[in-house]
Amino acid sequence: MDMKKEEDATGESNEANENIYEELFSYANSDNEIVKKESLRIILSLLEENELIEYIRKNNKKCFKIIISNLNSRNKMLSLECLLNLSARLPKELTERNIIEILFDMVKEEEKYEENCIDLYIMIISNITRCKEGIYKILDLKEDTNIDINEEKFFVSYYLNKLLYFFFLPIKPSINKNINDKYIYVSHILINISSIKESSLFFKNVSFLNKISEQILNKDRFRAILPFIINLCLNETTHNYLFHDSCILFPYILSYIYTNNYSLCSNNIYNSNNVEKSDNIHHIILQKATVLINCSIIKSRIIIILLYLCKKDYSREKLHNYGIYDILRNWKSHEKDTELLSDIENIADKFEAKKNGKAFIS
């Protein structure tokens, strides 16, 4: 009997909550701007509640229509905050409501102005690309499409191309005071997109990889895109491009773990004339290297990459051509983190074992 009463009470409570949510969204659709604003503010404050998320899921057509309609009102920022929260919880449902198309239309309208909300739009899109439907939308693919792309040509969708355009612009602060890189969330989108095998064809281009390599020169950008690079490395079909003679990606990556015997001029400018000479190490690595990077996240992820690549004949041979064994010895001699030393030695042993024709246990 008590259980029956408890179930009845729960049902009544859920029904009461649904009535409240129904009323809130009707107010958010009001002609009265003050009522609309306060309703959106309350909705935003309740978006951590699973009951409201479930209500929106069941009534997503109506709820999203009301929130999206407020993008064209004085309540734009409140609406964007709601969408940012919801994009993390209901990415598939938002994709089905054409939010990506809507946001890119807003990007097109706002990019001509210095003050804009494009970084917020990109944050929402990065959440949406956590679901496969969002990725397919960004890549302009249908799930039943057989991709047939001429790999010699740089082929990207309009949406991906636009995101890359922003990512390759000079770094500038976000409207969010806690973020000093306005377009950093494009890296999250690249990570999400590259997690599915269908995306690999979009990144099989040396020119694109070299543009990405330029981002590596900024430590924060490098740290942000390393998971994307890991995803590319995990797909062997990209290795011909990653290790192409004209691709500078890996020389740039490896320069971070190599300490060069460089010198500074009196004005503290790097003196490239004093670059260390080595027949074994790729010249770009020597040119770009200064001192060992002090970021443990970057070093740990480079170890992950090397551990995987040393198991594959083609990539291992290419890394040997870059002088990987000497680079690893150099890294070990300058590394202060004792926890990393055994990993570096382990990788060096694997490369050396294969170089000498010995098998190793992965």
Side-chain angles (χ1 to χ4, degrees):
M1 183 67 71
D2 289 341
M3 288 182 63
K4 181 69 167 62
K5 287 181 179 179
E6 189 175 323
E7 288 175 3
D8 290 343
T10 301
E12 289 173 6
S13 174
N14 289 340
E15 187 176 344
N17 284 341
E18 288 206 6
N19 290 335
I20 292 170
Y21 301 148
E22 182 82 27
E23 198 167 355
L24 267 176
F25 275 95
S26 68
Y27 286 147
N29 200 32
S30 167
D31 292 331
N32 186 310
E33 288 296 323
I34 296 175
V35 171
K36 186 184 291 188
K37 181 177 181 178
E38 289 308 311
S39 301
L40 282 171
R41 198 187 301 277
I42 294 170
I43 290 170
L44 178 61
S45 70
L46 294 174
L47 283 177
E48 296 300 319
E49 302 291 334
N50 290 331
E51 290 86 352
L52 177 55
I53 294 297
E54 191 54 38
Y55 172 82
I56 294 173
R57 188 194 305 276
K58 289 193 297 185
N59 302 277
N60 69 79
K61 183 176 181 180
K62 177 188 73 175
C63 294
F64 288 149
K65 183 178 179 180
I66 291 170
I67 293 173
I68 290 169
S69 68
N70 277 284
L71 290 172
N72 296 318
S73 72
R74 296 175 184 175
N75 304 311
K76 176 181 175 178
M77 292 307 297
L78 270 174
S79 181
L80 282 173
E81 288 183 67
C82 288
L83 288 171
L84 181 59
N85 192 304
L86 287 166
S87 64
R89 306 287 296 276
L90 302 172
K92 180 180 177 181
E93 289 79 2
L94 265 175
T95 303
E96 291 170 350
R97 296 298 156 205
N98 297 323
I99 189 62
I100 290 177
E101 292 89 336
I102 292 167
L103 290 175
F104 273 98
D105 284 343
M106 295 174 71
V107 166
K108 188 175 181 180
E109 181 64 30
E110 291 184 28
E111 65 177 314
K112 53 192 164 190
Y113 303 113
E114 183 65 26
E115 297 294 325
N116 57 57
C117 297
I118 291 174
D119 41 348
L120 260 177
Y121 307 155
I122 290 173
M123 290 172 71
I124 294 170
I125 293 166
S126 74
N127 280 338
I128 289 172
T129 54
R130 292 178 182 178
C131 73
K132 194 170 184 178
E133 292 80 5
I135 294 174
Y136 270 71
K137 182 78 75 168
I138 290 295
L139 296 180
D140 195 22
L141 296 176
K142 293 182 172 60
E143 290 202 42
D144 58 352
T145 299
N146 290 319
I147 306 172
D148 184 17
I149 298 172
N150 183 346
E151 294 183 5
E152 297 303 315
K153 296 180 180 179
F154 187 21
F155 182 94
V156 292
S157 69
Y158 168 78
Y159 295 142
L160 181 56
N161 193 51
K162 197 67 182 176
L163 291 167
L164 291 172
Y165 164 76
F166 290 122
F167 196 55
F168 295 149
L169 288 175
I171 295 173
K172 64 179 184 178
S174 167
I175 59 173
N176 185 332
K177 294 180 180 179
N178 297 320
I179 301 174
N180 58 12
D181 186 344
K182 186 175 179 72
Y183 304 120
I184 191 66
Y185 276 84
V186 174
S187 63
H188 295 223
I189 296 171
L190 290 173
I191 294 165
N192 294 336
I193 288 174
S194 61
S195 67
I196 67 167
K197 63 180 181 180
E198 298 94 322
S199 71
S200 64
L201 284 169
F202 292 84
F203 305 122
K204 291 180 177 180
N205 181 276
V206 173
S207 296
F208 163 73
L209 293 172
N210 284 345
K211 288 288 286 183
I212 285 291
S213 301
E214 293 172 11
Q215 307 306 308
I216 288 175
L217 297 177
N218 178 285
K219 187 173 76 172
D220 292 332
R221 281 280 178 97
F222 183 33
R223 184 171 59 240
I225 64 172
L226 258 172
F228 165 65
I229 295 171
I230 290 174
N231 285 344
L232 293 185
C233 291
L234 291 176
N235 189 327
E236 283 190 69
T237 66
T238 66
H239 288 189
N240 285 338
Y241 301 87
L242 294 173
F243 294 105
H244 190 279
D245 289 343
S246 301
C247 185
I248 58 177
L249 182 68
F250 267 93
Y252 276 30
I253 291 173
L254 296 174
S255 71
Y256 270 102
I257 57 171
Y258 187 81
T259 300
N260 213 335
N261 293 324
Y262 69 98
S263 64
L264 294 173
C265 301
S266 57
N267 58 357
N268 286 332
I269 300 299
Y270 178 62
N271 184 356
S272 59
N273 293 325
N274 291 326
V275 168
E276 182 179 317
K277 301 293 189 295
S278 172
D279 293 333
N280 296 328
I281 298 173
H282 194 285
H283 67 279
I284 293 179
I285 298 172
L286 295 175
Q287 185 183 45
K288 293 296 179 183
T290 54
V291 294
L292 177 65
I293 185 75
N294 61 4
C295 175
S296 60
I297 293 174
I298 288 177
K299 290 187 286 191
S300 296
R301 287 175 175 168
I302 290 176
I303 285 173
I304 291 170
I305 290 172
L306 294 177
L307 275 172
Y308 177 77
L309 293 177
C310 75
K311 300 174 186 178
K312 308 298 176 181
D313 291 341
Y314 178 79
S315 55
R316 186 175 59 251
E317 182 61 32
K318 288 294 184 178
L319 288 168
H320 272 305
N321 293 342
Y322 290 150
I324 188 63
Y325 189 68
D326 288 340
I327 293 167
L328 289 170
R329 284 196 306 176
N330 177 282
W331 182 4
K332 183 182 175 183
S333 69
H334 292 89
E335 183 56 65
K336 305 300 182 186
D337 187 341
T338 54
E339 293 183 4
L340 289 177
L341 288 174
S342 61
D343 290 328
I344 299 167
E345 188 170 353
N346 180 35
I347 298 171
D349 288 345
K350 291 181 187 298
F351 275 106
E352 185 65 9
K354 277 295 185 178
K355 184 179 179 182
N356 295 330
K358 299 175 183 177
F360 63 81
I361 300 173
S362 60

